[in-house]
């Protein structure tokens, strides 16, 4: 019997010392209820829901490939979840200094787009607790965000939440519907307590 060679077979798994500098959470849209069953366990580090429609899984980004972390891979590296968490925190903290904000107006509705040289980092950092705290200092103890695609993060202050439906929601939904990498249509409330979906 001949072996079937697939792209998956060709991915080289790095050792821990190489991998630890590229371990990151990855955001993805929730596609089916069945798919998210493991993610419903809030203590599952490998994959969990961060909102009703967004999941986050852990991966190693290596040689252009995204290698999802599994219990077997972690056992192969002989590291604990605590060590992996520290590596993720260190990796995410390095991205923060390169974030910048662009201010926009739609009549009197003020909002900001968040940018990073690696576009997919902007939505991801919204779910990174230390960065959430920094954003609370900038935008208020409670603020709102939308992440319609994997390269777009929109933020606005609480005082504008009532105007969101009229001034920005249609643009967020259009971005989601037209994107080649859609993420979520949700409106997300962010505070010291974390990030929560509060509707579409």
């Amino acid at each position: 019997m001949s072996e079937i060679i697939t792209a998956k077979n060709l991915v080289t798994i790095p050792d821990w010392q190489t991998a630890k500098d590229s371990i990151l959470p990855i955001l993805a849209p929730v596609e089916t209820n069945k798919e998210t069953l493991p993610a419903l366990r809030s203590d599952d580090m490998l994959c969990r829901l961060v909102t009703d429609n967004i999941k986050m899984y852990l991966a190693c980004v290596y040689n252009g490939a995204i290698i999802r972390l599994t219990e077997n891979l972690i056992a192969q590296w002989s590291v604990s979840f605590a060590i992996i968490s520290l590596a993720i925190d260190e990796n995410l903290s390095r991205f923060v200094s390169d974030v910048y904000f662009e201010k926009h107006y739609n009549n009197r509705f003020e909002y900001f787009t968040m940018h990073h040289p690696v576009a997919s980092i902007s939505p991801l950092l919204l779910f990174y607790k230390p960065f959430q705290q920094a954003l609370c200092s900038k935008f208020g103890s409670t603020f709102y965000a939308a992440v319609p695609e994997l390269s777009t993060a929109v933020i606005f202050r609480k005082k504008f939440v009532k105007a969101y439906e009229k001034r920005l929601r249609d643009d967020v939904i259009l971005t989601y519907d037209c994107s080649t990498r859609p993420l979520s249509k949700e409106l997300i409330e962010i505070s010291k307590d974390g990030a929560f979906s509060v509707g579409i």
Side-chain angles (χ1 to χ4, degrees):
M1 178 182 263
S2 61
E3 181 184 2
I4 297 174
I5 305 282
T6 67
K8 186 176 180 181
N9 300 131
L10 300 176
V11 173
T12 302
I13 305 297
D15 60 35
W16 171 247
Q17 288 304 314
T18 304
K20 67 183 177 68
D21 293 331
S22 62
I23 301 286
L24 289 171
I26 304 291
L27 297 180
V30 170
E31 294 171 4
T32 66
N33 289 336
K34 183 178 178 182
E35 178 190 28
T36 64
L37 286 177
L40 294 176
R41 300 194 306 268
S42 61
D43 60 343
D44 189 342
M45 278 193 56
L46 297 181
C47 183
R48 65 185 178 89
L49 294 178
V50 292
T51 72
D52 295 343
N53 295 300
I54 302 171
K55 66 183 178 181
M56 180 185 288
Y57 63 90
L58 301 184
C60 169
V61 182
Y62 180 69
N63 281 350
I66 296 176
I67 304 165
R68 287 184 73 145
L69 268 58
T70 62
E71 291 182 5
N72 287 340
L73 180 55
I74 293 167
Q76 179 182 321
W77 283 334
S78 298
V79 295
S80 67
F81 283 116
I83 289 173
I84 288 172
S85 293
L86 285 173
I88 289 169
D89 193 60
E90 287 178 15
N91 294 338
L92 286 175
S93 67
R94 287 198 298 264
F95 290 118
V96 170
S97 62
D98 292 326
V99 170
Y100 64 96
F101 299 90
E102 187 176 349
K103 186 185 289 188
H104 307 271
Y105 291 96
N106 183 342
N107 289 338
R108 295 183 179 178
F109 183 90
E110 178 189 87
Y111 67 98
F112 297 79
T113 49
M114 189 167 83
H115 303 277
H116 188 277
V118 179
S120 61
I121 291 300
S122 295
L124 177 60
L125 286 176
L126 283 176
F127 299 97
Y128 175 46
K129 287 202 178 291
F131 192 64
Q132 286 176 352
Q133 293 168 5
L135 290 176
C136 284
S137 298
K138 181 177 179 64
F139 295 106
S141 59
T142 299
F143 64 94
Y144 292 83
V147 284
E149 58 185 352
L150 287 163
S151 59
T152 302
V154 178
I155 297 171
F156 58 91
R157 293 183 171 89
K158 184 177 182 178
K159 69 180 182 178
F160 294 108
V161 71
K162 289 182 180 177
Y164 171 74
E165 182 175 351
K166 184 176 180 181
R167 298 294 180 199
L168 191 62
R169 186 178 71 170
D170 287 349
D171 290 340
V172 167
I173 292 173
L174 182 63
T175 300
Y176 174 89
D177 288 341
C178 295
S179 178
T180 57
R181 301 179 68 205
L183 186 54
S184 173
K185 298 178 186 179
E186 294 166 294
L187 178 62
I188 301 164
E189 181 180 277
I190 300 175
S191 69
K192 60 181 177 59
D193 297 320
F196 304 94
S197 173
V198 290
I200 301 284

